[in-house]
Amino acid sequence: MKEITILSGKGGTGKTSVTAALASVASQAVFCDNDVDAADLHLIFLPENTEEHRFFSGYKALIDPERCRQCGICEDHCRFDAIHLNASGRLEINPFQCEGCRLCERVCPYEAIRSVRHDHNFWYVANTRFGPLVHARMGPGEENSGKLVSQVRRRARELAQESGAEWIINDGPPGIGCAAIASLSGTDLVLMVIEPSRSGLHDARRLLELCQSFSKLKVVALINKYDLNSQLSHEIETFLEENHVPLLARLPFDSEVVAAMAASESMVEHHPDAAFSASIKKLWSVISESF
Ligand code: SF4
Ligand code: SF4
């Protein structure tokens, strides 16, 4: 079994369209949506969930203003600088800075702090027309997307082992944050989707640096909408060549890609004869024969 992770240095490069198009041509595959912060693969895959699981992402501390005597002990102990005076001069906890270590709860002499469980994230196993899909939904304000990515990947691996699937195909998150890092460990191949723009090239450089920090990780690339800016596409090709990253496909711009998404179809389903679809088929035959 081989695991492929499709990543992009930034959002909006067409990563999900590429994943869905590959899903139409790959067989014996289990799919995984690692973009848990902004999951959208389900819009094309139209999953029918067979399992639903609640995911515990940690604790957040909360001060009870009725009990708090404003002694400041908790503020002195918080290593994450999450406890501050608010506009009314009272101490409060910033939930975005609180790491849920629960130290403040233990040191408060007046039992004025309690820790609240955060478990509004869910992950699912689903049947789809392409094969099994493991995907997730993060609740509002929830964190720990890296841990959630590791969970969905773990389940995808189990499903692949149980069913004897040959491939796990991950639609990864954009960027180089903790969800991207959690997507990389243990994967066999990264397919970078790059768009020909200055920011696309800049973010691809950062993504490649991240990939190179993982030993034995193979990285290949494709340029999406390569014909929209031939000068930048050429710069990207030079960058890939200098860094020994094989360029496996140049996908042309096609306005039908958006129409396909709106119809909840992959581009290969929507327009099988388009140049985009032909390039995807060729890309899959190169990947499946070489890796
Ligand atoms: S340690 Fe307890 S009483 Fe003291 S400021 Fe913090 S919450 Fe309030
Ligand atoms: S739980 Fe930990 S990180 Fe959060 S406010 Fe308390 S001491 Fe700070």
Side-chain angles (χ1 to χ4, degrees):
M1 182 213 309
K2 295 278 182 199
E3 187 165 356
I4 303 170
T5 301
I6 300 162
L7 286 172
S8 60
K10 65 191 275 296
T13 57
K15 184 173 50 59
T16 298
S17 301
V18 169
T19 307
L22 283 173
S24 299
V25 293
S27 54
Q28 294 287 310
V30 171
F31 301 91
C32 198
D33 192 351
N34 295 2
D35 190 2
V36 295
D37 284 300
D40 56 5
L41 203 56
H42 63 279
L43 299 174
I44 303 177
F45 275 54
L46 302 177
E48 285 173 18
N49 293 339
T50 54
E51 290 177 26
E52 174 180 306
H53 304 271
R54 194 177 277 273
F55 180 78
F56 170 59
S57 62
Y59 291 95
K60 296 285 173 196
L62 211 62
I63 294 177
D64 177 351
E66 302 285 312
R67 289 177 172 234
C68 173
R69 308 262 186 102
Q70 299 293 310
C71 66
I73 292 174
C74 56
E75 186 186 17
D76 294 342
H77 279 77
C78 178
R79 300 234 174 147
F80 300 97
D81 207 16
I83 305 177
H84 305 278
L85 285 175
N86 64 17
S88 354
R90 294 192 65 84
L91 283 169
E92 70 177 10
I93 296 171
N94 180 341
F96 298 105
Q97 280 172 270
C98 173
E99 292 287 327
C101 68
R102 306 186 75 176
L103 179 62
C104 54
E105 187 185 346
R106 286 195 288 274
V107 298
C108 174
Y110 303 102
E111 297 185 352
I113 299 182
R114 68 191 169 93
S115 296
V116 180
R117 275 176 73 92
H118 269 235
D119 54 6
H120 304 302
N121 294 327
F122 290 87
W123 62 273
Y124 313 90
V125 176
N127 290 329
T128 78
R129 63 193 183 284
F130 304 115
L133 170 70
V134 189
H135 61 124
R137 180 167 56 80
M138 286 191 80
E142 291 285 336
E143 292 175 16
N144 248 330
S145 55
K147 266 168 77 179
L148 185 53
V149 168
S150 300
Q151 174 60 60
V152 293
R153 284 188 64 203
R154 197 158 42 240
R155 185 68 182 116
R157 185 162 280 270
E158 282 169 11
L159 287 174
Q161 275 161 353
E162 284 162 17
S163 65
E166 285 179 36
W167 304 95
I168 297 173
I169 300 180
N170 298 305
D171 183 19
I176 55 169
C178 65
I181 294 167
S183 295
L184 285 172
S185 61
T187 200
D188 298 290
L189 179 74
V190 169
L191 171 61
M192 290 203 301
V193 178
I194 311 171
E195 62 162 26
S197 66
R198 192 56 63 197
S199 59
L201 176 55
H202 172 265
D203 293 337
R205 280 186 205 281
R206 297 193 316 163
L207 177 58
L208 182 60
E209 276 171 24
L210 175 65
C211 293
Q212 285 169 337
S213 65
F214 286 78
S215 58
K216 295 186 189 157
L217 184 56
K218 285 186 189 142
V219 183
V220 294
L222 68 79
I223 304 175
N224 192 21
K225 307 176 206 164
Y226 78 95
D227 45 353
L228 287 188
N229 190 330
S230 48
Q231 164 67 27
L232 268 161
S233 286
H234 181 68
E235 281 185 42
I236 291 167
E237 285 173 22
T238 308
F239 154 70
L240 294 173
E241 220 173 282
E242 285 171 355
N243 287 281
H244 314 290
V245 176
L247 174 61
L248 297 193
R250 293 175 185 81
L251 302 179
F253 171 76
D254 191 328
S255 57
E256 285 299 305
V257 171
V258 176
M261 278 196 106
S264 295
E265 292 177 336
S266 78
M267 185 59 179
V268 172
E269 292 172 309
H270 187 74
H271 208 327
D273 301 325
F276 181 103
S277 305
S279 300
I280 287 286
K281 289 173 194 165
K282 215 189 257 175
L283 169 67
W284 180 248
S285 72
V286 172
I287 290 176
S288 55
E289 281 163 24
S290 332
F291 297 100

